[in-house]
């Protein structure tokens, strides 16, 4: 039986953690040791090279050790799918590899007990025959390629991971960067019950949602719920932004050190749609030595904001 103190109501509402490394001693040996070092209450991992197409089988022994350790410590785990995945590409080989890669992340996520797999929503690569945008064709490809993968989740049982759509920062011909565009994406996938959303605050800010303005975070969360539907927000990537609002640049900053600032993140702990939703930092750690110091600092800042949000109004 664990002797760890029970988490506070605020921590149960919104666990705070980080994307953790797993190279070296694996998911449990490296990943959870890092989580303990930085004070993470939840973790996100890669189960494949994020910039490659390889689909490693993993280790059943390590998977079991990780799953059991997460359960014992009460640490929810998440998987981030590789960055190369793009179902909007005009290259059939890229689409085929994307399907294989996402299927791998979903099944590996299930094996390690992950609650969800995060997928960047991609872009409409290429040009339509008339020289215009391929957006319509690209969204049809999303439906054709991703819908069958969602059907496969049904076969994994009730503990199958969610597929979480992460809107991008708006670079290039993005299929979904503004939160309102989630409506089209969810509709294309028939509103599958295991389809959710991961909100990246840096991405949303870069796409033009002014989270730094008074009430900006609340407005963005309202827009997300309206577009995707209530209850689909399952995870938040809490990242500040090095660039101004609407810059369409995906450059993360430490909490409070960017253009969003620390105070707006407090609103994330107050909105009804964020109840039970974990927050993960993907902020720069190398600037602070690359040993977890930066992530520990950001987790501490978010914890303080969480406690302030939970404090009764005098």
């Amino acid at each position: 039986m664990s002797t760890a103190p029970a988490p506070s109501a605020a921590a149960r509402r919104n666990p705070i953690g980080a994307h953790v490394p797993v190279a070296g001693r694996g998911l449990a040996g490296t990943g959870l040791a890092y989580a303990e070092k930085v004070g993470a209450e939840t973790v996100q991992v890669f189960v494949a090279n994020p910039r490659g197409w390889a689909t490693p089988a993993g280790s059943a022994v390590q998977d079991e050790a990780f799953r059991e350790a997460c359960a014992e410590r009460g640490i929810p785990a998440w998987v981030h799918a590789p960055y190369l995945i793009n179902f909007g590409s005009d290259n059939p080989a890229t689409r085929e590899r994307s399907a294989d890669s996402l299927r791998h992340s979903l099944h590996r996520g299930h094996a390690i007990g992950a609650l969800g797999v995060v997928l960047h929503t991609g872009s409409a690569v290429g040009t339509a025959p008339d020289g215009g945008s391929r957006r319509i064709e690209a969204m049809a490809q999303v439906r054709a390629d991703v819908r069958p993968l969602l059907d496969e989740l049904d076969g994994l049982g009730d503990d199958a991971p969610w597929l979480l759509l992460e809107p991008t920062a708006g670079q290039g011909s993005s299929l979904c960067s503004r939160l309102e565009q989630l409506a089209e994406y969810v509709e294309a996938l028939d509103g599958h019950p295991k389809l959710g959303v991961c909100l990246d605050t840096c991405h949303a800010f870069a796409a033009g949602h002014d989270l730094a303005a008074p009430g900006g975070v609340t407005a963005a969360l309202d827009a997300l719920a309206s577009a995707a539907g209530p209850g689909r927000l399952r995870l938040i990537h809490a990242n500040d932004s090095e660039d101004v609002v609407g810059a369409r640049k995906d450059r993360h900053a430490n909490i409070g050190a960017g253009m969003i600032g620390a105070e707006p993140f407090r609103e994330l702990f107050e909105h009804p749609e964020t109840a039970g939703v974990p927050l993960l930092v993907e902020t720069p750690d190398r600037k602070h030595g690359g040993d977890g110091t930066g992530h520990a600092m950001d987790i501490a800042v978010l914890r303080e904001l969480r406690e302030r949000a939970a404090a009764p109004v005098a």
Side-chain angles (χ1 to χ4, degrees), residues 121-306:
T121 47
S123 59
V125 174
T127 305
D130 62 0
S133 169
R134 285 191 67 256
R135 181 178 180 82
I136 294 177
E137 293 86 348
M139 288 305 300
Q141 291 172 192
V142 167
R143 177 178 177 79
D145 296 344
V146 179
R147 189 66 180 83
L149 297 178
L150 287 168
D151 289 338
E152 289 182 21
L153 288 180
D154 297 336
L156 296 180
D158 293 340
D159 61 345
W162 285 63
L163 175 61
L164 305 184
L165 304 174
E166 180 180 358
T168 59
Q171 316 96 309
S173 301
S174 172
L175 290 175
C176 181
S177 55
R178 292 285 303 180
L179 298 176
E180 296 86 354
Q181 294 172 319
L182 282 165
E184 182 181 7
Y185 225 108
V186 172
E187 182 180 1
L189 298 174
D190 297 326
H192 191 279
K194 279 287 187 175
L195 183 66
V197 175
C198 172
L199 172 67
D200 186 307
T201 53
C202 176
H203 293 181
F205 190 70
H209 296 278
D210 192 356
L211 307 184
V217 170
T218 298
L221 290 169
D222 288 345
L224 186 155
S226 177
R232 290 206 186 266
L233 178 63
R234 312 298 293 189
L235 185 65
I236 295 171
H237 287 167
N239 303 307
D240 212 325
S241 172
E242 289 194 8
D243 299 287
V244 298
V245 62
R248 297 188 177 186
K249 293 181 179 180
D250 183 14
R251 298 201 303 164
H252 298 184
N254 295 101
I255 306 298
M259 302 303 294
I260 298 175
E263 188 60 26
F265 286 86
R266 183 172 57 84
E267 287 184 59
L268 291 173
F269 302 109
E270 300 173 332
H271 197 282
E273 282 298 313
T274 66
V277 177
L279 280 72
L280 289 159
V281 297
E282 301 173 318
T283 48
D285 191 65
R286 291 183 180 178
K287 291 183 177 180
H288 303 275
D291 60 354
T293 300
H295 287 160
M297 174 184 68
D298 288 333
I299 288 171
V301 170
L302 289 172
R303 278 181 167 176
E304 180 182 353
L305 293 169
R306 182 178 66 188

Side-chain angles (χ1 to χ4, degrees), residues 5-158:
S8 67
R12 289 195 300 272
R13 186 190 194 276
N14 299 107
I16 297 169
H19 185 99
V20 301
V22 297
R25 293 184 293 123
L27 290 164
T30 299
L32 293 184
Y34 185 93
E36 183 174 358
K37 179 178 183 179
V38 302
E41 301 158 345
T42 181
V43 296
Q44 177 180 271
V45 298
F46 289 122
V47 291
N49 181 347
R51 293 179 172 82
W53 292 117
T55 53
S59 162
V61 173
Q62 283 200 22
D63 291 352
E64 181 66 20
F66 180 77
R67 186 169 57 247
E68 289 185 354
C70 285
E72 180 181 346
R73 303 178 194 185
I75 295 179
W78 310 83
V79 168
H80 200 305
Y83 301 133
L84 293 181
I85 294 174
N86 183 19
F87 294 102
S89 174
D90 62 348
N91 186 331
T94 297
R95 290 175 58 192
E96 183 177 355
R97 287 173 174 172
S98 293
D100 289 342
S101 181
L102 181 55
R103 178 180 290 107
H104 172 262
S105 286
L106 289 168
H107 283 264
R108 291 284 295 117
H110 183 244
I112 67 173
L115 299 182
V117 174
V118 178
L119 172 70
H120 286 179
T121 47
S123 59
V125 174
T127 305
D130 62 0
S133 169
R134 285 191 67 256
R135 181 178 180 82
I136 294 177
E137 293 86 348
M139 288 305 300
Q141 291 172 192
V142 167
R143 177 178 177 79
D145 296 344
V146 179
R147 189 66 180 83
L149 297 178
L150 287 168
D151 289 338
E152 289 182 21
L153 288 180
D154 297 336
L156 296 180
D158 293 340

